[in-house]
Amino acid sequence: MSMRSPTRVVVAVGHALLAESIELALRAAGHAAWHVVLPDTGNDLGRVIADITDDSPDIALVDIDPGPFDGIRLVAPLSRNQIVVVALTAAPIGARWGEAVRYGASAVLSRARPLSDILQTVERLAAGLPVMSREQLDRLVEQWQRGQAERRAVVARLDSLTSREAEVLGQLQAGHPVRVIAESSGVSESTVRTQVKAILAKLAVRTQLGAVSRANQVGWRPPPMP
């Protein structure tokens, strides 16, 4: 990668203080740096991409932590614009890191690391040097792919629930005990326990807490009542 001097670096994160801190550190190290604060709505993707690409940065430091605006959506379009993307995240090493790499990030850094790590990363990229090995990047993508397969399997199990089982699971998600579910449905507790047992079997878990955890894992919500 051929870089101009000084290296042009944009910092795209959701917190102004963090953005300004990274920008100032980059400027002090001799880089041409500026920041873009990610919006608190998810509907401004096109505008944010334009704000970043119009100034032709060499490197983009992008916050990919989930929020009102999910920065992971910036990785692919910025990469396609020949911008080297470094993803920043508070998530532990795993599927989220792999997702960023899958969409084109050249490296992923933990936000728990000191600013010096960010500066070293920018320096290496500016010099055309890799930050993560091909093996590291491939392993991260494999983790993401495994996570996607697991997610599809959980969704398939949830889709196998009957409408009544889905309703009961939704009430378990809301924290309602079997007794309350039975009273609100006008059925016996034994009937609800039988339904819960069927839910546990279909979701391949042993407890109600495990069933709720599976549902929350994929952001499942019960279908609306007719």
Side-chain angles (χ1 to χ4, degrees), residues 84-197:
V84 177
V85 177
V86 177
L88 305 176
T89 179
I93 296 175
R96 189 68 171 178
W97 290 48
E99 184 177 10
V101 174
R102 169 65 179 80
Y103 289 133
S106 296
V108 186
L109 292 180
S110 169
R111 282 171 47 179
R113 303 295 295 177
L115 276 174
S116 59
D117 281 10
I118 294 178
L119 297 178
Q120 290 173 7
T121 296
V122 170
E123 293 292 347
R124 287 187 64 84
L125 292 173
L129 300 173
V131 176
M132 305 178 78
S133 70
R134 186 70 260 169
E135 291 76 14
Q136 286 176 308
L137 296 172
D138 288 345
R139 282 198 299 270
L140 288 174
V141 173
E142 288 171 4
Q143 284 184 279
W144 174 72
Q145 291 172 333
R146 286 197 299 271
Q148 290 297 100
E150 292 170 2
R151 177 184 177 84
R152 288 192 295 270
V154 171
V155 170
R157 289 181 178 278
L158 288 163
D159 286 345
S160 73
L161 299 178
T162 66
S163 57
R164 174 55 185 166
E165 289 164 356
E167 180 184 345
V168 170
L169 178 56
Q171 294 198 53
L172 292 175
Q173 273 186 305
H176 299 158
V178 167
R179 176 183 55 78
V180 172
I181 296 173
E183 290 174 354
S184 65
S185 304
V187 298
S188 68
E189 288 189 36
S190 62
T191 296
V192 174
R193 294 190 188 281
T194 298
Q195 293 163 342
V196 169
K197 185 177 180 180

Side-chain angles (χ1 to χ4, degrees), residues 3 5 7-8 16-17 20 23 26 38 40 82 117 206:
M3 291 289 191
S5 183
T7 307
R8 296 173 57 79
L17 181 59
E20 291 170 3
E23 177 189 340
L26 289 166
L38 299 181
D40 55 6
Q82 307 304 310
D117 281 10
R206 296 182 177 180

